[in-house]
Structures are given as C-alpha cells and as structure tokens.
Amino acid sequence: MEPVKLALEKGDEALAQREYLKFRRTADLPRWFVDPTAKPEKPVAQTGDRQARDTLAHRIQHTYGFVTDQPVSHGPDFDWFHNPLDPEDPKFSPQYTTILSRMHFWEHLGRAYWKTQDEKYAKKWVWMLEDFAAECPMEPYEAPSKTEHWKTIDVGLRMAGSWPNSYHRFLHSPAFTPEANLTYARLIQDSAKRLLYGLSLENRGGNWVAMESNGLYSLATLFPEFKASERWRKVALDRLQKEMDVQIYPDGWQIELTPMYHRTTIDNFIAPMQLAQLNEADFPQDYVENLRRMYRALILAQSPSGNIVPTNDSKQVHGRSVAREALRLFPDDPLIRWAASGGTQ
C-alpha cells in the first residue's frame, strides 16, 4: 500500500486509485472460495446461460420465487426499488425487494464471464455496482434501515456471497477500472459499518445474527489493508462464538426449531471456519464441536424417507445430503457416516 500512500501525499488521486487496484490484483492477499487465477485460459462457451442473458437485459428472476417465478424487468435504468405487484395485490410482498438486494443475479454474470470471457458481462457488473452506489446510498448506519437494500441480514448475506464471488471473478477484467474498485471499497466500508451496528445490539439473535457475523468476518478477512479490519474480525468471531452458546440447545438444535433455519444457520456458522481454514488461520475447537452437534441434530430428526421432519416454518431438507456434507468435516463420526451411506455403513 506504500505506492497508494505516496500518491495521496502528492495529491494525485487518480494515481492512488490505479495503485490501489494494482495492489488488489497483485498483492499476496487472503484467499477466497473463488480464486481469480482459476479463470479458464480460453472460453469454454460462446454465450452465457439464460439467466445471465436475462440479467444483461435487467430481467431478474428471484432465487426464492417470491411474488413470481418469472423474470421481472427492472427497466433500462434498472429500478432497484421496483416491485412487480401493486401493494393492494394479495400476492404482494416487500420481500421481493429484500431478496433483490442480495444480488444473486450477479452470480450469473460472473459465471458467464468466466465461461465466455466476453467483457459485456464484466461491463454490466461494473455498471450495476456503480448504479447501486449512486441509487441506493447507505442511510445513517446507526439506525434501523428505512429501505430494503440496507437491512443488516441482506448486507450480511451479500457480503459473504454474491459480492466477494463477483469481485474475485471480475477483478482482472479491463472493465473493472480503478474508479470501480474504489466504489467497491467504499461500499465495503459502508457495509462493515452497517453490520457493526446490527451486531452491537446485544438483544438480537437467531439466524439473522449468524448471517451478519459471517458477512463481517468475510470482509475482515478479505480486506486486511483496512485499518478497522482487525476490529471487524474480532467483533464477528466474538459474536459467532456467543451465538453458538445462546442459539444452540444442548441437543444441537438451533433455537428456532426449524430445519430450514437450522440448516441456514449451519451454513453461516461454518463459512467463517472454512474461510479461516482456507487461509490457514486458527479457529476455536469448541466451535467445531458445536457444528458437529448441529449436524447430528438434523440427522436424528430424519423420517424413514430420509427427509428431515419439516417442523415450524420450514421447507423440505434432505437428510442424506446434509450427512454427506457433514462427513467431509467429521469423517470419523459413526452417526454421520451411517446417515451419509443411507444406513449401509
């Protein structure tokens, strides 16, 4: 970062931006689950899939199927606040805009870019990034969100998923300019402040807090050059450990007693540990053992069909797939091994 500092001391902001992007592209930085160097050397497809092409045209299909399972047009200027149904419609749900803010559709652009190496996908991502920054600025972060785009749960989800995944896929694209990199960095700072606010409220709990802690831990790991990053990491890890204590019953069940949210909470508890392992960082052993208890709880709630009984607000969760995932972490656990094999081992 020294060249960035020297450029700023000279008052050359444009040079500082170029040097910062160079640093992000070439420095020995912490690894992410998407490795920028793993991009194929040559295109392996001529065009992206339908969802990538829809995203180019600002037609978005929600992952969760809220309101409609058909792509919804957000117009040529991309209306970040558009909801396809009138508030008086019985099917109306503000969740549509909430899910939009998680930006799952960026994943389609990133995968299409790596497959085709067509810069139009990178250019669209950069355009969307800058448009979001302009149209959806963060409100005062130490207050409840007044819009769907800066709810702490959604900030946490996108900062542990669609945003770093996209960033690492597009990092070396010519379309990702020094200006766009600075926009991304500023939004990272805003996001961390937002998550710190949410996690400062001690009376909160449940799967939201796990998602927020996961997002903040991701930011702290991926941007060590930020002065506040070590504080972010400590806040995230301390809260994750606390939530393990207060959310998980002695039998391993998450307090909401809902397999779907139990499964979601596992995902958000396990991702920081996996990111730490990827970067050869230590992680508390008691944390790992709590994850084992959570997996075992789901397995013990299987019906004879192999599905986990969908209590409370839950969709179907398949027990064998959960067990197979757990087996990669706990290969010596006899219950997990039995469930992963379908009862044959």
Side-chain angles (χ1 to χ4, degrees), residues 93-153:
S93 172
Q95 284 282 71
Y96 179 91
T97 312
T98 297
I99 305 304
L100 180 78
S101 74
R102 300 175 188 180
M103 299 176 204
H104 297 295
F105 47 92
W106 280 8
E107 304 274 17
H108 304 310
L109 293 176
R111 286 192 289 267
Y113 178 58
W114 272 28
K115 287 180 180 179
T116 67
Q117 300 187 20
D118 190 329
E119 286 298 319
K120 68 184 179 185
Y121 295 106
K123 290 177 181 177
K124 178 57 66 177
W125 177 71
V126 169
W127 183 90
M128 284 186 165
L129 171 69
E130 294 178 331
D131 192 60
F132 177 80
E135 298 296 327
C136 307
M138 188 179 72
E139 310 141 357
Y141 58 87
E142 291 185 333
S145 178
K146 295 180 181 178
T147 71
E148 301 298 325
H149 298 303
W150 286 97
K151 283 187 174 180
T152 51
I153 179 178

